[in-house]
Amino acid sequence: ADLYPEEVAASKVVLISSADDLLSSYDKKISDFTKIVLENSPRVEVRAGARVTEVRRDAVVGLDKRTGEEFVQKSFLTLWSTGVRPSKMVQDLIDRIPDQTKRSGMLVDTSLLAYGSQNIYAAGDCAVLYDGNAMIQDLEVLFRKADADGNGTLDKKELLGLFSKIGGEYPQAEIFRSRIDEDFEAYDLDGSGAVDLEEFRSLLLTVDASLRNLPPTAQVAGQQGSFLAASFNGETKKGFQYFHKGSMAYVGQEKAAAQVSMLKSLLPEFLQERLPLVGEDIILTGGLAETVWRFL
């Protein structure tokens, strides 16, 4: 700004994000803080929840995912930042397994075994593991819990009863309860008036899709690789649990956002499990986070 004041005054940055949350792999507080900082910047416009459909020489064409309206954003310089996509081999496996419902990678359980397979494991960028309690992992237990009359199917009342009871353990269930109430027929695929185990499986995959995925970072991949080695060597029977050591991002205007778990990382594993409050992430924003970002 000091070197080119006239150019800066004439410039504008438009950030188009397909996701509603910016920095979606960070804590929600950091995502919200980043969006507020950018929206209050005089020369920054944020268009979240919009999908880019075309990049032209002098413009970007997008689609608002909420309204379905198309828009054209003039641009003299376009920078594209996006995630990774599965390799051909991984994509071929995804296409052949019906239970694989994610486009970004192979959906795995906490043992890192791919859903719909008995001998395919995935880790790192090619794996999709939910950051939270996935209902699909407890498929049969939840089905039996909901089947009050024991007839092997779940009617609308039984399904709503289940989703009402388990919201504390599975927050995503509370989100979908109203959808089931309003549109039960969409999940009763054979029109029988009740949901069988396979239809229930399909429903849970849809419900779990609202969970955030673990980010495709070196932290995640390294921990998953160590877990698989220990699991294959018979050294552990526990499911994979990701420990986030921390993330930092500079968001401009001398402000940053940091999510660090340094205190927990210094404790032995058995203490990390017994003292969960000690291991809570520390969320820093603003000037203090910028200091951490610059010097650590």
Side-chain angles (χ1 to χ4, degrees), residues 97 100 106-109 111-118 120-122:
I97 303 175
Q100 291 298 321
M106 298 204 70
L107 186 60
V108 298
D109 61 20
S111 70
L112 302 188
L113 178 68
Y115 281 110
S117 76
Q118 296 180 344
I120 300 175
Y121 292 83

Side-chain angles (χ1 to χ4, degrees), residues 1-294:
D2 294 335
L3 294 175
Y4 305 100
E6 295 181 2
E7 288 78 0
V8 169
S11 65
K12 179 182 179 181
V13 175
V14 180
L15 175 62
I16 302 175
S17 170
S18 180
D20 291 323
D21 291 337
L22 305 181
L23 297 179
S24 59
S25 63
Y26 287 65
D27 186 274
K28 187 68 165 60
K29 295 177 184 177
I30 290 180
S31 297
D32 294 341
F33 171 79
T34 301
K35 189 173 183 179
I36 291 172
V37 169
L38 294 178
E39 286 179 339
N40 285 279
S41 300
R43 290 180 292 277
V44 177
E45 177 184 350
V46 178
R47 302 197 67 154
R51 180 180 294 112
V52 173
T53 58
E54 181 184 354
V55 178
R56 299 174 181 171
R57 183 175 182 179
D58 58 353
V60 173
V61 182
L63 184 71
D64 190 301
K65 293 162 68 173
R66 289 180 292 273
T67 65
E69 296 181 2
E70 186 179 82
F71 63 88
V72 178
Q73 177 65 54
K74 292 184 178 179
S75 173
F76 295 97
L77 175 64
T78 300
L79 301 178
W80 180 270
S81 175
T82 188
V84 297
R85 62 175 298 176
S87 65
K88 185 178 185 305
M89 182 185 74
V90 174
Q91 188 61 57
D92 287 344
L93 289 172
I94 292 173
D95 293 340
R96 295 179 185 183
I97 303 175
D99 284 354
Q100 291 298 321
T101 58
K102 305 292 286 186
R103 293 184 299 174
S104 55
M106 298 204 70
L107 186 60
V108 298
D109 61 20
T110 54
S111 70
L112 302 188
L113 178 68
Y115 281 110
S117 76
Q118 296 180 344
N119 56 5
I120 300 175
Y121 292 83
D125 289 357
C126 69
V128 175
L129 179 62
Y130 292 131
D131 185 10
N133 293 328
M135 295 176 68
I136 191 66
Q137 293 175 183
D138 301 321
L139 170 70
E140 295 185 2
V141 173
L142 291 174
F143 189 86
R144 289 195 300 269
K145 183 176 182 179
D147 189 11
D149 56 15
N151 67 349
T153 61
L154 306 180
D155 59 26
K156 184 176 180 179
K157 182 179 179 180
E158 290 174 322
L159 202 54
L160 288 174
L162 172 69
F163 274 57
S164 297
K165 294 176 183 177
I166 62 176
E169 186 176 0
Y170 307 96
Q172 66 271 34
E174 186 63 28
I175 298 173
F176 270 78
R177 187 164 61 88
S178 60
R179 298 189 191 181
I180 295 171
D181 190 21
E182 296 171 0
D183 199 13
F184 175 78
E185 293 74 16
Y187 306 105
D188 177 20
L189 303 179
D190 59 8
S192 64
V195 172
D196 60 23
L197 185 60
E198 284 306 309
E199 290 171 325
F200 188 60
R201 177 193 296 274
S202 178
L203 168 62
L204 293 194
L205 287 170
T206 301
V207 173
D208 284 341
S210 64
L211 290 171
R212 285 189 174 193
N213 305 332
L214 289 178
T217 63
Q219 280 192 60
V220 174
Q223 292 180 38
Q224 288 178 339
S226 298
F227 167 80
L228 281 178
S231 180
F232 292 162
N233 289 329
E235 298 171 4
T236 181
K237 293 184 178 179
K238 297 180 180 179
F240 175 75
Q241 287 188 324
Y242 172 59
F243 167 49
H244 185 63
K245 296 180 180 179
S247 299
M248 299 183 187
Y250 181 68
V251 295
Q253 299 185 47
E254 297 185 349
K255 293 182 175 66
Q259 179 179 353
V260 293
S261 308
M262 292 182 291
L263 179 58
K264 182 174 179 179
S265 66
L266 298 176
L267 298 175
E269 184 176 347
F270 75 95
L271 281 181
Q272 293 176 15
E273 296 175 354
R274 294 182 182 183
L275 300 174
L277 293 178
V278 176
E280 288 295 315
D281 284 356
I282 302 170
I283 308 300
L284 304 175
T285 56
L288 178 58
E290 188 207 10
T291 301
V292 174
W293 182 83
R294 288 180 180 275

